């Protein structure tokens, strides 16, 4: 059994679960690398990463480099004497960092590689209507999410899953896969394999304002998947045209209702407790939404204070 000295790199909540599993499992974590503190929110208060909060509470050695090629940081990293590095939801590493430890640097990715390489694999798997996803551990190389695969674990995507619920499932599944990977490396029994060559690669690019907007002319299932895949963050959005005013409306939860009708696509159908958008062969019934300057609310609560005109529609 190899005597492993581990450096862990990560930033958000998704990474904390894995770090906590390593610490509670008695693995020798000699250092933690996370993002520098930065201003966040409307008040621009300085916020520390979730990984930093946990690492400090656990009494772990912590480094927060601004530049990963900074000579002072590289010296500190080398002095930790790690022979294995683990990356979970961090930034792209330069070769001088990922090539440093004897047993390599491996990453946990929230997809079944080679599919959904990129920044938002959880979101895009749901947006694209996948029935299955998973987690992968792989050795980092110079290409993004393209290194040799160590282990994978599959997970079914349920019809009611959102990006939020799937995130949490994969977070826990991933933490256990990392432990299996570390054990395999420690025993020297894992054989890394090249990622399969496939002609159809589904990417997981960064989410932006444009690719989060709803196209009401799309297939109803596609619209429903789009809303689920962006909930709770960053949220699917549309423009709500009502009484001569156009408002940006975020949609966090909806239901798909299949029904034949002759209502024009994107027109709004409403009552005292419901707000539905006409789509091809059905409706998207809104459940939880957010108007500008307001908090997330149930549609019923919104309708208590919102007057809707007869020709209201989503654009």
């Amino acid at each position: 059994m190899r005597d492993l000295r581990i450096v862990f790199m990560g930033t958000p909540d998704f990474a904390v679960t894995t770090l906590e599993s390593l610490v509670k499992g008695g693995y020798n974590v000699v250092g933690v690398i996370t993002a520098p503190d930065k201003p966040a929110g409307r008040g621009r208060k300085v916020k520390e990463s979730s990984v930093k909060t946990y690492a400090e509470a656990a009494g772990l050695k912590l480094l927060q480099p601004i530049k990963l090629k900074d000579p002072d940081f590289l010296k500190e990293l080398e002095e930790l004497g790690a022979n294995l590095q683990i990356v979970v939801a961090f930034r792209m590493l330069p070769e001088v960092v990922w090539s440093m430890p004897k047993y390599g640097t491996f990453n946990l990715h929230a997809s079944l590689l080679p599919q959904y390489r990129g920044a938002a694999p959880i979101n895009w798997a749901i947006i694209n209507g996948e029935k299955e996803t998973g987690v992968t551990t792989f050795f980092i190389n110079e290409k993004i999410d393209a290194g040799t695969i160590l282990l994978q674990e599959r997970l079914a995507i349920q019809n009611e899953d959102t990006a939020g619920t799937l995130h949490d499932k994969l977070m826990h599944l991933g933490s256990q896969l990392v432990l299996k990977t570390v054990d395999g490396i420690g025993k020297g029994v894992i054989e890394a394999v090249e990622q399969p060559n496939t002609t159809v690669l589904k990417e997981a690019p960064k989410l932006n304002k444009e690719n989060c907007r709803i196209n009401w002319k799309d297939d109803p299932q596609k619209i429903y998947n789009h809303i689920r895949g962006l909930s709770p963050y960053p949220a699917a959005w549309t423009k709500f045209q009502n009484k001569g005013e156009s408002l940006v409306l975020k949609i966090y939860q909806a239901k798909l209702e299949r029904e034949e009708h002759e209502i024009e696509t994107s027109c709004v159908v409403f009552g005292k407790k419901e707000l539905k958008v006409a789509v091809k062969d059905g409706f998207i019934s809104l459940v939880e939404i957010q108007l500008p300057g307001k908090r997330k609310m149930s549609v019923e609560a919104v309708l208590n204070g919102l007057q809707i005109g007869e020709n209201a529609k989503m654009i």
Side-chain angles (χ1 to χ4, degrees):
M1 185 72 177
R2 294 163 173 167
D3 180 22
L4 297 180
R5 291 175 56 84
I6 298 167
V7 160
F8 182 87
M9 303 183 185
T11 299
D13 287 336
F14 190 88
V16 173
T17 301
T18 300
L19 178 56
E20 185 177 16
S21 295
L22 288 164
V23 171
K24 289 185 175 179
Y27 296 86
N28 187 15
V29 180
V30 298
V32 174
I33 317 299
T34 193
D37 300 350
K38 61 180 181 181
R42 291 184 179 179
R44 306 305 290 165
K45 290 183 179 179
V46 174
K47 185 180 180 184
E48 60 185 32
S49 76
S50 299
V51 164
K52 177 182 178 178
T53 302
Y54 176 80
E56 288 189 331
L60 299 171
K61 171 72 174 176
L62 183 71
L63 300 177
Q64 293 180 273
I66 295 173
K67 295 182 179 179
L68 296 178
K69 290 183 179 180
D70 181 87
D72 291 336
F73 163 67
L74 293 174
K75 185 181 178 204
E76 284 186 285
L77 182 59
E78 196 164 13
E79 286 173 351
L80 292 174
N83 53 21
L84 178 66
Q85 292 178 158
I86 301 171
V87 180
V88 182
F90 196 54
R91 49 184 148 153
M92 189 172 178
L93 302 182
E95 184 174 356
V96 68
V97 173
W98 60 255
S99 65
M100 190 178 290
K102 178 179 179 180
Y103 300 124
T105 300
F106 77 82
N107 184 67
L108 172 68
H109 189 71
S111 82
L112 297 172
L113 291 173
Q115 299 300 349
Y116 296 105
R117 293 170 178 156
I122 297 173
N123 305 91
W124 286 105
I126 295 179
I127 290 170
N128 290 340
E130 301 290 356
K131 299 300 182 186
E132 183 183 57
T133 184
V135 283
T136 303
T137 51
F138 68 96
F139 279 128
I140 289 177
N141 63 15
E142 66 280 355
K143 296 179 182 178
I144 295 175
D145 300 334
T148 51
I149 290 175
L150 293 161
L151 294 174
Q152 289 187 320
E153 194 79 43
R154 296 176 178 272
L155 178 72
I157 299 176
Q158 305 300 321
N159 290 333
E160 66 276 8
D161 268 326
T162 64
T165 61
L166 190 58
H167 168 281
D168 291 352
K169 292 176 185 179
L170 292 174
M171 179 173 67
H172 293 290
L173 189 66
S175 70
Q176 296 310 301
L177 190 68
V178 166
L179 297 190
K180 288 181 187 176
T181 304
V182 173
D183 289 343
I185 291 172
K187 294 172 184 174
V189 296
I190 289 186
E191 184 178 340
V193 297
E194 295 292 332
Q195 293 192 24
N197 284 323
T198 177
T199 53
V200 181
L201 274 179
K202 299 172 185 177
E203 301 293 341
K206 284 184 179 181
L207 299 170
N208 56 45
K209 187 174 181 181
E210 195 52 44
N211 60 28
C212 288
R213 186 171 188 173
I214 298 169
N215 179 359
W216 295 103
K217 293 181 181 179
D218 272 341
D219 175 83
Q221 185 67 50
K222 190 173 179 181
I223 296 170
Y224 176 63
N225 292 342
H226 188 85
I227 293 167
R228 291 192 303 132
L230 296 170
S231 177
Y233 183 83
W237 69 278
T238 185
K239 283 190 176 178
F240 178 37
Q241 198 169 63
N242 180 43
K243 293 188 170 183
E245 188 177 20
S246 183
L247 302 172
V248 172
L249 180 71
K250 288 186 176 182
I251 303 174
Y252 292 91
Q253 189 180 349
K255 291 185 289 186
L256 172 57
E257 299 177 359
R258 295 284 187 181
E259 181 184 335
E260 288 189 15
H261 63 77
E262 295 183 358
I263 302 170
E264 185 183 346
T265 296
S266 82
C267 285
V268 169
V269 177
F270 62 96
K272 287 185 177 180
K273 295 185 178 181
E274 68 173 9
L275 181 61
K276 303 195 291 189
V277 185
V279 293
K280 183 183 177 183
D281 300 324
F283 297 92
I284 298 293
S285 180
L286 308 187
V287 177
E288 187 177 41
I289 61 177
Q290 184 177 24
L291 291 168
K294 305 288 186 181
R295 59 179 176 83
K296 282 192 290 186
M297 292 193 289
S298 68
V299 158
E300 188 175 346
V302 171
L303 290 172
N304 284 336
L306 181 67
Q307 297 228 335
I308 300 178
E310 288 185 10
N311 297 318
K313 64 188 298 185
M314 303 296 180
I315 57 174

